[in-house]
Amino acid sequence: MKVATLNDGTPDGRLVAVSDDLTTQRACTEPTLQAALDSDRLVPAYEERPFAPALCAAPLPRAYQFLDGSAYVNHVALVRQARGAAMPGRFWTDPLMYQGASDGCLGPTEDIVADPAWGPDFEAEIAVITGYVPQGANRDQAAASIRYVMLCNDISLRALIPDELAKGFGFVQSKPASAFSPVAVAVDACPGWRDGRLHGTLSVDLNGAPFGRVEAGEDMTFGFPALIAHAARTRSLAPGTIVGSGTVSNRGADGGPGAPVADGGRGYACIAEQRMVETILTGAPRTPFLSPGDRVRIWMDDAEGRSIFGTLDQEVRAP
């Protein structure tokens, strides 16, 4: 089953069930996705109406918790290589994770509002929504808790990150609200889902040009069960917790940094990674971060070329 939340002017929107081809919708007996997660049931009505992704909020407009990992350790390795910093060995066995803003998630077509001096960047990711996860859950319990899969644009303000991290207390100003795909797909009906990972090509366009055609199932060091179990080590997770994968990142065919799409590579899921590769190869970054008027599109198609989650389509706007 695929679900979406229509922006009806209320804080949590109105839940609908969406057809597999994203053309029609049906109202649900539960008014919101959070209510459906709390009751662990979802019953669509019979009557179908046309589905308009442009009217969607995030599937969970307000989530109890958003935990974002860094499951693609290749991305972290490139960051540290570009800085000339050593890569701690434990990063390959113990996931990185931060707790982000979730009191007001962005819908799939909402603007990215950021001063260009902040270094705004997109990060194309996979995300899951969980049911209840008990404290100390193992990976099997964590896997059983996954209810829905969706796409995420985890917006980052790169110019603000160094000063925040230098304080030793994590992200706040440099990590504003993230945006999510129009549709979330039930995990047991999601094309490409296996082994706790979503396999498929995650596509990113910047200003109409291909920027990334990355493979989400490859190079993912930590699957979602590992990320969820990590988060639940010392606390339980409420139904409606969102867990993100971190920026999808692929190695190059030779095992080194990947290449831009224009050069025959898979490209990247964020501008920062392209800048890191430019720094490694040439000594300095060339690609600028986002500016007002820039447009970012993020989507994933199934093997037949049909959209799975709908499209995130966001324009950058100055405050």
Side-chain angles (χ1 to χ4, degrees), residues 107-127:
T109 60
E110 288 192 64
D111 289 345
I112 299 169
V113 181
D115 189 317
W118 298 341
D121 194 3
F122 56 85
E123 293 190 51
E125 304 186 4
I126 313 302

Side-chain angles (χ1 to χ4, degrees), residues 227-240:
L227 295 176
I228 294 167
H230 175 84
R233 180 185 178 193
T234 61
R235 54 178 167 172
S236 61
L237 308 181

Side-chain angles (χ1 to χ4, degrees), residues 84-106:
M87 177 73 170
R90 65 186 177 89
F91 282 16
W92 294 97
T93 57
D94 189 28
L96 294 171
M97 184 171 284
Y98 81 93
Q99 185 161 330
S102 60
D103 53 335
C105 300
L106 297 181

Side-chain angles (χ1 to χ4, degrees), residues 202-216:
L202 182 62
S203 297
V204 183
D205 281 3
L206 177 59
N207 295 328
F211 191 91
R213 298 294 185 266
V214 291
E215 292 300 318

Side-chain angles (χ1 to χ4, degrees), residues 137-145 225 229:
N138 59 34
R139 292 190 183 186
D140 288 341
Q141 292 173 304
S145 77

